[in-house]
Amino acid sequence: MHNSKLIRMLKTLDKQEFKKLDKFVKSAYFIKERHCHPLYNILKKHYPGFNAENISKEKIYEELYPGKKYGDGRSVSLLLTLSSELYRMCKLFLVQLELEAETSVSEHLLLEQLRRRKLNKEFERGFSAAAARRLKNKTGAIDLYNNYKLHFIKGEYEKSSGNIRGVLDGYTVSGESALVFGIITAYKYSEIREICENAYNIKPPHSIVVDFFDSLNSTMLVNKMKENNDPYYPAVYANYLVYNINKEPQETKYLNALRTLLAENLDDYGRTEQFILYSVVVSALIRLENTDHNIERTNELFEVYNTMFRKGIYKYKDNENLEAAAFRAILSVAFELRKLDWAEEFITRTSAELPEKLKESMTNHAYANLYFLRKEHNKALGYINRVNYDYPLHKIDSKTLTFRIYYELGDYEHAFSVLDTTRQYVVNTKDLAKIFRERQLNFLKYASELIRRKTTGNKRDIELTLKKLTAEKAVELSGWLKRKFEELLDSEKI
């Protein structure tokens, strides 16, 4: 039973949600067949781990029905029925959680019921309150969709009331919101399409969105909206820039325009849209850096990350986890630039927001990096030894950091061993994207050269090696490698 769809769903609930589920499954309104609360009571004792040994079908059944044995057709059928009923209740519970989180959906459902029941005064009050809240929101894609739905319901209400002017007003706002929502969504689709085609070599199927943009003069549209001071202009213009950034990735004018827009007009966008737009800037800068790595580009990237951190928009939503990839990327840039105090503050303030199963390892890895750069190598080794390889890039990061720690400690035998196992992993794994594989293989090549020269004392043509390293476009930890080769070069001159 431990790997059933019911247990998989229960494992996703946090402690507060699990307690709320207790009340939910007791509700007589939702009970359809058998009362499944006794089953919940047994399972909750094993939350959150749900150890397989403790929740076998035999143990669960015999605790539900003391003195009876599990195994015959009736017992199998009964436990399956109870499990299915609890699973059904869990799905309803997830719907309830989403309704509580997305108040707009609840408003729409209520207004639709009030309209159908001709409770006009209640409808008018509810609509006015909802519309007032919408005015406070910015014109992000989800806000536009919610505005479309709200005013569509208003148009239907006015139609049933015979108010033709009201019908026109409701459908006008609804139509505009739907159109702009569609344009923005089409821009976002085009972005994903470009990424799939160029980064992952996935050939997308033909889409009407392609025909739409082939027929649309986007530049003329945004210029016309700006000229008319259209309230939807900020949302459309930002996504127009994103579309062109992805369409012409090496053309920086659209990227620069988006950065200027965010610097000067950030408040025109809602919290989620701010994160999305800054994430586009980050992705574009990383893409440029991968093809032409230089310190100026890295500093630009750090400034964007710093702005996102200070403004509290470094994750998609405030109440969601910080993505492991984002945590890694932000710290990688801070570490490369030796922004160590900043990095420590970032780790302290955000590591608790990481996904639960990655939190401990990623925090240990972050501190290992921090202490390594502060030249507290034994302390760094202590932290890196606590890391579990539960995240693909984590495994590579941990191995390359372990190599550097051993190198700095002068333990070259262990350093060689780590390089060898890392090379085997990079060559054989399918978890790494092409650019990451290339960067890691280049690191391994130069790291092997570095340690060979260090251990043999062969320092001939180090300047030539440095030139080759500098000319490489994609090398992980290139800054550290350059410094180590320069140290060898300086020791030769002495």
Side-chain angles (χ1 to χ4, degrees):
M1 189 171 186
H2 75 283
N3 197 34
S4 66
K5 59 186 180 181
L6 170 61
I7 299 302
R8 290 199 301 271
M9 184 175 287
L10 290 173
K11 282 183 175 180
T12 67
L13 302 179
D14 62 32
K15 289 181 181 179
Q16 195 61 35
E17 290 169 343
F18 205 80
K19 287 181 180 178
K20 289 171 110 175
L21 177 62
D22 188 359
K23 297 178 182 177
F24 191 86
V25 296
K26 285 179 181 176
S27 172
Y29 179 80
F30 293 105
I31 295 172
K32 186 177 180 181
E33 296 178 7
R34 290 183 176 270
H35 204 304
C36 59
H37 194 258
L39 176 58
Y40 168 85
N41 277 336
I42 293 172
L43 292 175
K44 77 177 180 182
K45 292 184 289 186
H46 306 289
Y47 172 86
F50 296 107
N51 183 275
E53 185 180 341
N54 296 327
I55 59 168
S56 66
K57 293 177 180 178
E58 291 79 6
K59 285 190 176 182
I60 296 295
Y61 183 83
E62 288 165 18
E63 189 171 348
L64 277 169
Y65 304 103
K68 295 186 178 181
K69 292 291 183 182
Y70 178 82
D72 60 16
R74 184 176 182 282
S75 62
V76 170
S77 176
L78 184 55
L79 185 57
L80 179 61
T81 299
L82 287 172
S83 298
S84 299
E85 179 63 9
L86 183 53
Y87 180 68
R88 184 187 70 84
M89 295 282 276
C90 285
K91 290 193 291 184
L92 287 174
F93 177 66
L94 293 183
V95 172
Q96 182 60 36
L97 288 179
E98 193 64 18
L99 284 173
E100 291 173 7
E102 297 293 336
T103 55
S104 296
V105 177
S106 299
E107 285 177 342
H108 299 157
L109 295 174
L110 175 59
L111 285 171
E112 188 60 37
Q113 279 292 312
L114 294 175
R115 181 188 73 79
R116 291 180 183 179
R117 297 171 191 280
K118 302 189 185 308
L119 297 170
N120 296 344
K121 288 183 179 180
E122 289 81 357
F123 178 92
E124 292 286 354
R125 282 197 295 269
F127 174 81
S128 297
R133 279 191 289 275
R134 296 290 189 280
L135 289 174
K136 295 178 182 178
N137 293 345
K138 307 303 178 183
T139 49
I142 191 63
D143 302 306
L144 287 162
Y145 173 79
N146 288 332
N147 213 39
Y148 146 73
K149 188 66 179 175
L150 178 66
H151 286 274
F152 180 83
I153 294 170
K154 184 64 157 65
E156 292 289 287
Y157 168 78
E158 298 293 1
K159 186 193 296 184
S160 62
S161 303
N163 181 359
I164 302 302
R165 180 68 197 187
V167 173
L168 176 62
D169 291 343
Y171 284 172
T172 296
V173 178
S174 178
E176 287 180 339
S177 299
L179 178 61
V180 178
F181 171 74
I183 292 172
I184 290 174
T185 304
Y187 276 137
K188 291 183 186 298
Y189 165 77
S190 298
E191 175 190 354
I192 297 299
R193 186 183 178 91
E194 291 284 341
I195 291 171
C196 288
E197 201 161 10
N198 297 321
Y200 296 97
N201 200 29
I202 298 173
K203 185 67 177 175
H206 179 73
S207 168
I208 191 174
V209 175
V210 177
D211 296 335
F212 172 74
F213 281 120
D214 284 346
S215 307
L216 176 70
N217 187 326
S218 290
T219 303
M220 182 182 294
L221 173 66
V222 294
N223 287 340
K224 200 73 175 175
M225 293 180 75
K226 183 178 182 180
E227 179 185 323
N228 292 329
N229 198 28
D230 194 293
Y232 299 113
Y233 169 73
V236 174
Y237 179 57
N239 284 277
Y240 160 81
L241 292 175
V242 172
Y243 169 72
N244 282 289
I245 287 169
N246 288 289
K247 191 174 183 181
E248 302 180 52
Q250 299 305 314
E251 175 56 73
T252 58
K253 69 178 182 180
Y254 298 111
L255 173 60
N256 293 334
L258 181 57
R259 294 179 66 183
T260 300
L261 179 71
L262 292 174
E264 296 177 355
N265 304 98
L266 185 63
D267 290 341
D268 284 343
Y269 305 95
R271 162 68 179 77
T272 301
E273 290 295 311
Q274 290 175 358
F275 170 81
I276 292 170
L277 294 174
Y278 266 118
S279 296
V280 170
V281 173
V282 166
S283 297
L285 287 172
I286 290 174
R287 191 163 51 213
L288 291 170
E289 189 180 42
N290 283 338
T291 57
D292 182 20
H293 182 78
N294 61 68
I295 196 65
E296 291 79 11
R297 193 83 70 195
T298 307
N299 273 301
E300 285 184 77
L301 192 53
F302 175 76
E303 288 307 318
V304 174
Y305 281 141
N306 185 45
T307 298
M308 295 174 74
F309 179 44
R310 299 303 174 197
K311 292 184 177 295
I313 50 176
Y314 52 87
K315 57 182 184 175
Y316 186 65
K317 289 183 179 180
D318 292 330
N319 61 348
E320 292 190 357
N321 286 327
L322 169 59
E323 289 184 12
F327 184 79
R328 173 189 181 272
I330 292 170
L331 284 175
S332 294
V333 171
F335 288 143
E336 182 175 350
L337 296 174
R338 298 299 189 273
K339 306 280 189 181
L340 302 187
D341 290 342
W342 188 96
E344 185 170 21
E345 181 189 358
F346 183 80
I347 296 167
T348 302
R349 287 177 51 183
T350 67
S351 59
E353 301 170 11
L354 287 163
E356 193 63 38
K357 68 177 182 177
L358 300 177
K359 187 183 302 180
E360 185 177 354
S361 285
M362 295 208 73
T363 303
N364 284 329
H365 184 269
Y367 278 118
N369 261 302
L370 182 68
Y371 288 115
F372 171 77
L373 293 172
R374 286 178 171 164
K375 301 188 185 302
E376 298 181 52
H377 298 126
N378 285 312
K379 200 169 184 177
L381 190 60
Y383 273 102
I384 203 67
N385 285 336
R386 300 178 208 166
V387 173
N388 293 316
Y389 300 143
D390 42 18
Y391 175 58
L393 290 176
H394 217 166
K395 182 176 286 191
I396 299 292
D397 291 343
S398 298
K399 286 181 177 294
T400 53
L401 178 56
T402 304
F403 161 75
R404 289 186 293 152
I405 293 172
Y406 281 133
Y407 179 89
E408 297 290 2
L409 289 171
D411 188 345
Y412 303 122
E413 184 178 347
H414 277 103
F416 265 123
S417 176
V418 172
L419 274 186
D420 186 52
T421 57
T422 306
R423 184 180 293 104
Q424 291 179 39
Y425 175 75
V426 173
V427 169
N428 295 319
T429 186
K430 296 180 180 179
D431 292 330
L432 294 177
K434 181 180 178 182
I435 184 62
F436 286 118
R437 184 187 299 273
E438 181 183 358
R439 290 176 69 91
Q440 295 296 343
L441 287 173
N442 280 331
F443 169 80
L444 292 167
K445 177 178 71 174
Y446 285 103
S448 297
E449 177 75 5
L450 172 68
I451 200 167
R452 184 181 65 79
R453 287 179 176 273
K454 182 71 174 179
T455 54
T456 63
N458 179 7
K459 299 175 182 177
R460 292 180 56 194
D461 301 325
I462 290 181
E463 288 183 336
L464 179 60
T465 302
L466 265 170
K467 285 182 181 178
K468 289 180 180 178
L469 173 58
T470 303
E472 292 275 14
K473 297 296 184 184
V475 184
E476 195 71 15
L477 300 166
S478 60
W480 181 82
L481 288 167
K482 288 174 186 176
R483 285 192 293 275
K484 296 299 110 179
F485 277 114
E486 288 165 356
E487 287 175 8
L488 289 180
L489 191 62
D490 290 342
S491 67
E492 179 186 32
K493 292 175 181 176
I494 293 173

